[in-house]
Amino acid sequence: MSIHAAVRPFRAGQLWRADGWHADAAIAVGADGRLREPADRDGELIGNWVLPGMPNLHSHAFQRAMAGLAERKGRADDSFWSWRETMYAFAATVGPDELQAIAAQLYVEMLKAGYTHVCEFHYLHHQPDGVPYAQPEAMSLALVEAAREAGIGLTLLPVLYISGGFDGRALSARQRRFGHAVDAYLRLLETLRRQESDDVCVGIALHSLRAVPESALREVLGHPLAGTDPIHIHIAEQIGEVQDCLATRGARPVEWLFDHADVDARWCLVHATHLTAAETAQLARSGAVAGLCPTTEANLGDGLFPLADYLDAGGTLGIGSDSHISISPVEELRWLEYGQRLSTRHRNIAARHEGDSVGETLWRAALRGGAQASGQPVGELRDGVRADLVVLDDDSPLLAARDARSVLDSFLFAGNTPLVRDVMVGGRWQVRGFRHRDEERIAARYRGVVARLAGS
């Protein structure tokens, strides 16, 4: 991001900080795109309700272009595994140019929804036949360029993917473009680290225990390149995965991971849907993030995370849009709560103490966990943190007569009208008056790309 000319002061009628709303608050953006305090109280009034931007901790960008294309009944046991075959077929049509166009459109939509940083869990590395591109990092660079085009912060998580199952079978023909040997994966990491900036960082992703043998896991985690960066992994998403892990490794996935790796606050365990009580408590104690993607988990029929027990144990969580059948932190958090209500036949599950707000509890938790999983100084509005903020629409009827006690609950639970009016990332306005600064061009290119893919 370019260097700004000077410190710019702003005011907010109400500014959300970690401890709640602060009235008539002043903030300032420094020349480096980070927040500065104390701020000049004569700055521009930017809105009545100003929130930190939400980090999106789990994204497969290419899947945005196939959202809605897997909703026809197939075989009798339609499940994640049958959906995966549709996804593999679609992935085979996407190259670097297509990926950049799809990701840029996705990232514009994320910004307009209130996401200001995205963790891209990226496994579409090679050509469809598995042969590396002439520039082996071409697909990764397409994502970096898309994030820069759109103006969203990026944690790029190149994925290690070695085997096709817990039994160590070779990758199938459709999986070959995902695969790396450990040495090639480490070279990719080293190359991509040169792209790091204030807006882009590079972490590590292990696709899953079924795709990463124990020896490879140990080698990558023990390498100096692992450093202190975020580590993400899909885990315990499906009952079938749990059963296969038990059959081949003698332990459940989360149980096995904790027995074989030092899982701590660097880690994000994506989905972690099927946990025992002991695993739930262990994950909470570790300080790792449970990366929850409620709309995708519902779409795929995964199951429900044990939210109440996890919160009671002090666990950290964040949200992601994963397959992008929905691109809305509001909907992710709403359905995180609603799934629990349907399961327990009770209300206000996330609010664990009398008088607590469900909306505030969920927003605060997702900001904290998303920032931790991103490995970046985001998710708060305080001195030194990147200036990522969201301004809600003061004029919306949905917020009429709402005060600080009710506005976040209304934001999350009072309708589907978009309420994110303006969005700043790193001190730059990317969305003003509900419109992204470059959305027409990016959308036009996207429409051309998906039309071409449909024809192929």
Side-chain angles (χ1 to χ4, degrees), residues 70-83:
E71 306 303 324
R72 288 184 177 270
K73 183 70 175 176
R75 63 195 196 197
D77 60 342
D78 256 353
S79 67
F80 166 85
W81 306 104
S82 55
W83 170 88

Side-chain angles (χ1 to χ4, degrees), residues 363-387:
W363 193 266
R364 182 183 288 113
L367 286 172
R368 178 188 169 210
Q372 182 176 315
S374 300
Q376 291 289 281
V378 296
E380 296 184 74
L381 298 179
R382 60 172 176 81
D383 188 66
V385 171
R386 200 172 72 200

Side-chain angles (χ1 to χ4, degrees), residues 155-180:
T155 297
L156 181 62
L157 299 163
V159 171
L160 178 63
Y161 202 126
I162 292 178
S163 57
F166 283 102
D167 57 4
R169 74 190 73 163
L171 298 178
S172 70
R174 287 180 166 180
Q175 293 171 324
R176 286 175 192 151
R177 71 179 310 191
F178 311 157
H180 279 105

Side-chain angles (χ1 to χ4, degrees), residues 59 99 120-125 139-140 143 156-159:
S59 167
L99 181 59
E120 189 61 52
F121 196 100
H122 170 56
Y123 55 83
L124 213 58
H125 295 300
M139 294 290 275
S140 297
L143 293 165
L156 181 62
L157 299 163
V159 171

Side-chain angles (χ1 to χ4, degrees), residues 187-241:
R187 285 196 301 273
L188 176 66
L189 272 183
E190 187 172 22
T191 300
L192 292 176
R193 292 274 162 82
R194 299 171 197 152
Q195 298 293 323
E196 292 188 320
S197 66
D198 287 345
D199 304 311
V200 175
C201 75
V202 177
I204 288 171
L206 309 170
H207 182 271
S208 56
L209 294 184
R210 70 176 182 271
V212 180
E214 180 181 353
S215 58
L217 181 146
R218 292 187 183 282
E219 187 174 353
V220 169
L221 296 182
H223 196 278
L225 279 171
T228 59
D229 296 305
I231 303 167
H232 290 223
I233 185 170
H234 289 138
I235 200 157
E237 179 180 3
Q238 292 287 324
I239 291 290
E241 175 191 353

Side-chain angles (χ1 to χ4, degrees), residues 50 65 71 115 119 140 144 149 162-163 193 208 250 270 275-276 288 322 327 346 375 384 386 389 419 424 444 447:
V50 179
E71 306 303 324
Y115 290 119
C119 298
S140 297
V144 173
E149 268 192 278
I162 292 178
S163 57
R193 292 274 162 82
S208 56
V270 181
L275 303 180
T276 64
D322 195 349
I327 304 165
H346 291 283
R386 200 172 72 200
L389 56 87
L419 292 177
M424 176 185 286
R447 285 192 292 269

Side-chain angles (χ1 to χ4, degrees), residues 304 308 337-349:
L304 293 171
E337 171 71 18
Y338 283 176
Q340 305 297 314
R341 294 185 187 190
L342 289 167
S343 176
T344 64
R345 298 185 295 283
H346 291 283
R347 299 187 71 252
N348 300 328
I349 305 302

Side-chain angles (χ1 to χ4, degrees), residues 14 16 21 49 355-360 392 398-414 419:
Q14 296 278 352
W16 176 266
W21 290 108
W49 305 108
D356 284 355
S357 155
V358 175
E360 291 184 6
L392 301 185
L398 297 184
L399 299 183
R402 296 301 189 260
D403 60 16
R405 283 180 52 83
S406 58
V407 70
L408 261 173
D409 290 325
S410 297
F411 178 36
L412 295 187
F413 296 103
L419 292 177

